[in-house]
Amino acid sequence: MGQFEFAAPTLFGLEGIAGDELRRLDIPNVRVENGRVLFSGDETTLARANLFLRTAERVLIVLADFPAKTFEELFQGVYQTNLEDYIPKNGVFPVKGHCLNSQLMSVPDCQAIVKKAASKRLGEKYHMSWLPEDGEKYQLQFSIMNDRVQLYLDTSGAGLHKRGYRAVGNDAPLRETLAAAMIQLTRYRGREFLWDPFCGSGTIPIEAALIAKNRAPGLNRRFAAEKFQWMDEKTWQFVRSEAFDKEFHGHYRILGSDNDPKCISLAMANARKAGMAGFIEFRDGDATKMSLPTDSGILICNPPYGQRMMEQRSAQGLYAALGRHLKFADGWKKYIITSEPEFEHYFGRRADKKRKLYNGMIKCDYYMYTDIRRKEEKR
């Protein structure tokens, strides 16, 4: 079908990381914006982005971009879009979307208008007074922000964070896309020892193993675009073969530990499902008491926050105990995400860097302790 314009939405704070991923895939015209990354490409690009992106939430084709302050303008903008190039006459095309800071703020009303305009356009192009919608699904999405509409076709289906290895999680699961971003911010490439002392359902160790092996995170799942009438199955076969060819075959030292045996059992099951069990060791252990597994490495974790798994005071006490336990772990780089604004106070050290990230709807800081030994010497 030629060239497309794509949009890959991300969690806030991950846009630049997703943009770098796309550039490493040699995908052209990458532009990073708030909450998303835009890029260009063909059907192979579509398949490659879905299969390889670790930190984006989904891959959307941009169908139209136009201003609209009234329902009539919204209707006409959708009606003038070449939807027949993407949706066959029997295609199912549900509509969903969101509105922000615009004259049009009723999502249900906007959904109805977009559906009505799309139905009229497709009905006229296919010379049908009634569309059966009994074929494959072509999910339409719209975004109305500051009185500007963007209309999309979703190519991913289930969000890209759903890798296929985690059917169930623990009480506070970390989204896979965020875990992958946290790991990439450490510059981990599989050479150092990596330890998650609050591993829960195993997301961070599993994502670390996937990164170390350079395994495409979408390799074990399917995507909505694989059923699109105009997508060639050979494109997906080619990209999956390419993914296998890019994998590394080494020995990696990755440890996940948790003081809840049920979490360890769940993490081990998830690692097996991801095909990463052979690269990760899981242990029962209290993060504030267990011995360091080696003299040096990368510690990365998502400890309990006061607002979700523990009362705030208990969480603060945990941070203080962790800080005391790791006080002389000078060979370890430490990366810790939490929503606690006074984390550095309780942990006992100021971070070398910190970065704002969102764990779902929870605003967090990612505290990076990257040069502990030098900082201790200065003191």
Side-chain angles (χ1 to χ4, degrees):
M1 288 186 67
Q3 293 290 303
F4 304 97
E5 283 298 309
F6 296 102
T10 71
L11 296 174
F12 285 107
L14 306 191
E15 305 92 337
I17 301 172
D20 289 341
E21 287 187 71
L22 289 163
R23 295 185 186 99
R24 287 195 294 271
L25 291 171
D26 295 324
I27 290 176
N29 199 23
V30 176
R31 293 98 70 201
V32 175
E33 297 185 353
N34 286 336
R36 67 178 187 172
V37 183
L38 303 175
F39 57 101
S40 306
D42 56 12
E43 293 179 22
T44 301
T45 304
L46 184 161
R48 191 174 284 140
N50 272 297
L51 204 69
F52 284 94
L53 277 175
R54 299 184 189 278
T55 58
E57 294 302 306
R58 57 184 64 248
V59 177
L60 308 171
I61 296 174
V62 182
L63 301 178
D65 186 334
F66 56 90
K69 293 184 178 180
T70 67
F71 287 131
E72 179 60 23
E73 289 174 339
L74 175 61
F75 182 94
Q76 290 299 327
V78 175
Y79 176 69
Q80 292 168 20
T81 302
N82 297 329
L83 297 174
E84 67 278 3
D85 291 344
Y86 304 91
I87 304 174
K89 61 183 179 181
N90 68 333
V92 180
F93 53 102
V95 176
K96 62 182 179 182
H98 65 270
C99 308
L100 183 66
N101 298 331
S102 299
Q103 295 294 312
L104 301 175
M105 288 297 291
S106 171
V107 172
D109 287 340
C110 291
Q111 284 178 292
I113 293 296
V114 171
K115 182 70 175 184
K116 182 178 180 181
S119 298
K120 182 178 180 182
R121 170 83 186 200
L122 293 170
E124 290 179 358
K125 291 297 178 179
Y126 291 125
H127 307 290
M128 301 172 72
S129 59
W130 176 78
L131 296 167
E133 292 198 57
D134 58 1
E136 299 297 345
K137 182 178 179 181
Y138 295 77
Q139 177 71 61
L140 293 177
Q141 293 193 23
F142 65 85
S143 168
I144 305 178
M145 298 181 64
N146 300 314
D147 298 321
R148 190 155 198 94
V149 180
Q150 287 198 322
L151 184 67
Y152 308 106
L153 176 64
D154 177 21
T155 72
S156 300
L160 295 183
H161 70 279
K162 295 184 178 180
R163 318 288 206 213
Y165 64 75
R166 193 174 72 181
V168 292
N170 61 343
D171 290 337
L174 186 73
R175 183 167 284 199
E176 293 88 332
T177 44
L178 178 57
M182 289 165 56
I183 295 160
Q184 292 192 60
L185 286 169
T186 73
R187 301 186 182 279
Y188 172 72
R189 296 292 183 272
R191 298 184 183 91
E192 299 170 275
F193 195 106
L194 187 140
W195 176 33
D196 176 6
F198 299 92
C199 73
S201 59
T203 305
I204 289 175
I206 293 169
E207 290 296 320
L210 291 171
I211 288 171
K213 277 193 63 62
N214 199 36
R215 174 165 294 179
L219 201 56
N220 292 335
R221 56 160 286 176
R222 295 291 174 177
F223 304 95
E226 293 187 67
K227 295 183 178 180
F228 288 178
Q229 192 176 82
W230 43 268
M231 277 290 293
D232 189 344
E233 183 180 346
K234 292 181 180 179
T235 300
W236 294 97
Q237 293 173 351
F238 168 77
V239 173
R240 285 194 166 91
S241 176
E242 177 186 53
F244 280 116
D245 291 341
K246 287 185 174 183
E247 285 194 11
F248 303 145
H249 303 281
H251 175 70
Y252 311 108
R253 297 171 297 160
I254 302 170
L255 171 65
S257 62
D258 202 286
N259 64 355
D260 184 345
K262 291 182 180 178
C263 285
I264 294 299
S265 296
L266 179 59
M268 293 174 67
N270 288 340
R272 286 193 295 270
K273 195 169 183 182
M276 295 292 110
F279 306 102
I280 308 169
E281 179 186 357
F282 290 103
R283 296 181 196 166
D284 292 341
D286 185 333
T288 65
K289 297 177 181 178
M290 65 185 293
S291 299
L292 297 176
T294 64
D295 293 333
S296 63
I298 295 174
L299 181 150
I300 177 171
C301 63
N302 173 42
Y305 310 161
Q307 63 194 78
R308 51 172 195 159
M309 288 174 62
M310 302 171 68
E311 293 297 327
Q312 189 173 18
R313 288 185 181 178
S314 297
Q316 291 166 350
L318 173 65
Y319 303 151
L322 184 65
R324 289 192 297 269
H325 184 58
L326 298 176
K327 184 174 183 179
F328 300 107
D330 294 345
W332 285 81
K333 298 176 183 178
K334 308 169 189 71
Y335 298 82
I336 303 167
I337 188 171
T338 175
S339 63
E340 170 57 59
E342 299 297 323
F343 171 79
E344 290 168 304
H345 167 73
Y346 294 106
F347 190 67
R349 294 173 183 168
R350 293 186 63 183
D352 297 303
K353 296 179 183 178
K354 62 181 181 179
R355 181 168 178 151
K356 292 194 183 301
L357 297 174
Y358 281 80
N359 186 359
M361 298 300 294
I362 303 173
K363 184 178 179 180
C364 298
D365 281 298
Y366 192 39
Y367 295 91
M368 308 181 196
Y369 296 85
T370 57
D371 200 358
I372 299 299
R373 181 179 287 111
R374 184 167 62 86
K375 187 162 66 174
E376 291 296 329
E377 289 172 354
K378 285 185 176 180
R379 290 182 179 180

